[in-house]
């Protein structure tokens, strides 16, 4: 994948922080002319290098919770199984790992859906040898809070507040009210185009701009709706993506999950009991080695495993075909997206 030049990388990093940031704000933060940033930014969006979409958080609006699924498969069947997982509405991202013939995915299921998915659907997929699944009980960082080492901390803060408020809502474990028809329609429009203007959204929904602004702010601030920039880290100069799994003790002076969440290489970090899991994106294998060495030295880390991503099949609900993200669907009647 061809890397972007310095300014394009900065623009993409700004969109990662705030996919709906006006070009004027991004230009001010980067110290560039607005017309230059707008021209380059629109070109990046049109080319598909980066796109913004919305993602309803099922754990905030339903009884569904996040799980990490790992599937061991026959090597020649792994890609087909990854594609099957990516096509399931319950998954938000799916990747194949290089260390073993293994697929890994994040999915959202209610307790009464577990048996049907695992033993009624997944177990019937040809080539599946075994699987493990663990609940993601606490998030320290999600892809919405990724701050790649491209902009300064102050620049990221100027573009958008951090996601601590959203994470607090996730950690609370309280199921909010289901989204009404207007909010679901708004989320569906933003899923197709996360940068649609308030005017465009209000016109599509036949409501006032004030209603759109109020509802959008309420959903994003509560963690019910994430608006994310979908981008391959390789285009930003971070081609090595790895899933890190470590085991912590309850006596650690510094929580490894919080430590990982604070690093600019971390795209997301979560915990399931004594397990801490994170996806990182780094520039080289040498950088990954340095990161792992630092984690091993943390007090309370008893074991550590790193598995490099070999292929992406779904990222932030966007499906990939032969390594290329699918283009947004044409405008259609809003549907239930969870």
């Amino acid at each position: 994948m061809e890397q972007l030049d310095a300014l394009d990388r900065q623009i993409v990093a700004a969109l990662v922080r705030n996919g709906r940031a006006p070009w004027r704000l991004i230009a001010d933060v980067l110290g560039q002319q607005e017309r230059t940033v707008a021209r380059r930014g629109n070109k990046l969006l049109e080319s598909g290098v980066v796109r913004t979409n919305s993602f309803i958080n099922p754990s905030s609006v339903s009884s569904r919770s996040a799980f990490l699924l790992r599937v061991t498969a026959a090597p020649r069947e792994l890609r087909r199984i990854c594609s099957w997982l990516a096509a399931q509405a319950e998954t938000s991202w799916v990747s194949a790992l290089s260390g073993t013939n293994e697929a890994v995915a994040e999915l959202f299921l209610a307790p009464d859906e577990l048996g049907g998915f695992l033993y009624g659907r997944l177990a019937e997929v040809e080539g599946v040898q075994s699987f493990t699944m663990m609940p993601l009980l606490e998030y320290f960082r999600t892809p919405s809070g990724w701050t790649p080492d491209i902009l300064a901390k102050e620049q990221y803060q100027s573009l958008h507040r951090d996601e601590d408020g959203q994470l607090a809502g996730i950690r609370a474990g309280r199921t909010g009210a289901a989204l009404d028809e207007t909010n679901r329609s708004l989320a569906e429009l933003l899923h197709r185009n996360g940068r649609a203007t308030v005017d465009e959204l209000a016109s599509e929904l036949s409501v006032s701009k004030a209603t759109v602004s109020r509802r959008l702010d309420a959903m994003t601030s509560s963690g019910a709706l994430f608006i994310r920039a979908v981008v391959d880290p390789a285009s930003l100069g971070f081609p090595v993506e790895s899933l890190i799994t470590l085991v912590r003790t309850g006596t650690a002076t510094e929580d490894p999950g919080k430590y990982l969440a604070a690093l600019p290489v971390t795209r997301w970090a979560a915990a399931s009991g004594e397990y801490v899991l994170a996806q990182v994106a780094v520039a080289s294998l040498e950088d990954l080695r340095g990161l792992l060495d630092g984690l091993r030295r943390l007090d309370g880390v008893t074991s550590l495993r790193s598995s490099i991503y070999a292929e992406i099949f779904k990222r932030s609900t966007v499906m990939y075909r032969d390594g290329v993200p699918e283009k947004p669907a044409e405008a259609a009647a809003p549907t239930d997206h969870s």
Side-chain angles (χ1 to χ4, degrees):
M1 179 179 294
E2 183 178 353
Q3 290 190 20
L4 308 175
D5 66 21
L7 180 54
D8 280 349
R9 291 174 73 232
Q10 291 177 338
I11 293 172
V12 173
L15 291 172
V16 167
R17 181 62 166 187
N18 182 356
R20 291 182 56 79
W23 298 127
R24 178 177 297 177
L25 173 59
I26 295 177
D28 288 344
V29 169
L30 301 183
Q32 300 286 334
Q33 293 187 340
E34 181 182 354
R35 63 174 178 271
T36 300
V37 169
R39 174 175 54 82
R40 287 196 177 219
N42 284 319
K43 184 177 180 181
L44 289 166
L45 290 165
E46 291 166 4
S47 70
V49 168
V50 62
R51 59 179 282 189
T52 58
N53 71 353
S54 71
F55 171 59
I56 295 175
N57 177 15
S59 62
S60 290
V61 299
S62 72
S63 61
R64 290 179 171 179
S65 298
F67 292 85
L68 186 81
L69 172 69
R70 303 178 84 134
V71 180
T72 302
R76 68 179 58 188
E77 302 289 351
L78 185 60
R79 279 184 164 171
R80 186 176 59 81
I81 291 169
C82 286
S83 295
W84 181 88
L85 284 169
Q88 306 311 301
E90 295 91 345
T91 61
S92 56
W93 59 262
V94 179
S95 298
L97 301 180
S98 61
T100 57
N101 47 316
E102 188 177 28
V104 63
E106 179 190 57
L107 68 163
F108 291 84
L109 291 168
D112 60 358
E113 296 173 330
L114 292 173
F117 182 88
L118 293 174
Y119 302 107
R121 291 161 58 189
L122 178 62
E124 296 299 318
V125 178
E126 185 178 354
V128 170
Q129 295 178 335
S130 64
F131 53 79
T132 59
M133 191 162 75
M134 63 175 65
L136 299 176
L137 301 174
E138 181 178 14
Y139 277 89
F140 303 100
R141 182 63 59 224
T142 78
S144 298
W146 181 38
T147 54
D149 195 12
I150 295 173
L151 302 179
K153 181 178 179 179
E154 295 75 16
Q155 290 176 301
Y156 282 120
Q157 289 291 342
S158 297
L159 286 161
H160 198 268
R161 61 184 183 274
D162 61 32
E163 64 168 356
D164 286 347
Q166 294 176 324
L167 290 174
I170 295 173
R171 293 189 189 111
R174 294 189 301 269
T175 300
L179 300 183
D180 63 18
E181 182 179 353
T182 299
N183 279 355
R184 285 198 170 274
S185 297
L186 176 57
E188 178 61 26
L189 291 171
L190 289 167
H191 182 67
R192 294 197 297 268
N193 177 15
R195 290 187 63 81
T197 66
V198 171
D199 283 346
E200 291 169 340
L201 295 169
S203 177
E204 285 279 353
L205 297 173
S206 299
V207 299
S208 70
K209 292 188 292 183
T211 296
V212 168
S213 296
R214 184 177 65 255
R215 286 174 174 258
L216 182 56
D217 183 67
M219 285 194 291
T220 55
S221 61
S222 69
L225 183 72
F226 292 104
I227 299 178
R228 294 176 174 171
V230 183
V231 61
D232 289 319
S235 65
L236 295 176
F238 309 109
V240 180
E241 295 182 69
S242 178
L243 177 67
I244 291 175
T245 306
L246 63 83
V247 179
R248 60 183 176 176
T249 66
T251 59
T253 56
E254 180 176 17
D255 191 322
K258 293 180 180 179
Y259 173 86
L260 274 165
L263 300 177
V265 300
T266 302
R267 300 196 70 241
W268 61 263
S272 182
E274 71 272 25
Y275 291 95
V276 174
L277 305 108
Q279 181 198 4
V280 299
V282 296
S284 66
L285 289 174
E286 181 62 21
D287 288 344
L288 180 60
R289 184 192 65 80
L291 171 65
L292 297 176
D293 286 345
L295 289 171
R296 289 190 183 97
R297 289 192 292 268
L298 288 180
D299 177 41
V301 173
T302 60
S303 68
L304 179 66
R305 173 186 174 190
S306 172
S307 302
I308 294 175
Y309 286 33
E311 189 171 349
I312 303 296
F313 290 82
K314 194 175 191 179
R315 196 192 292 275
S316 292
T317 73
V318 176
M319 291 184 62
Y320 279 54
R321 304 286 186 185
D322 298 321
V324 179
E326 287 187 339
K327 294 183 178 180
E330 295 298 325
T335 59
D336 184 354
H337 177 75
S338 58

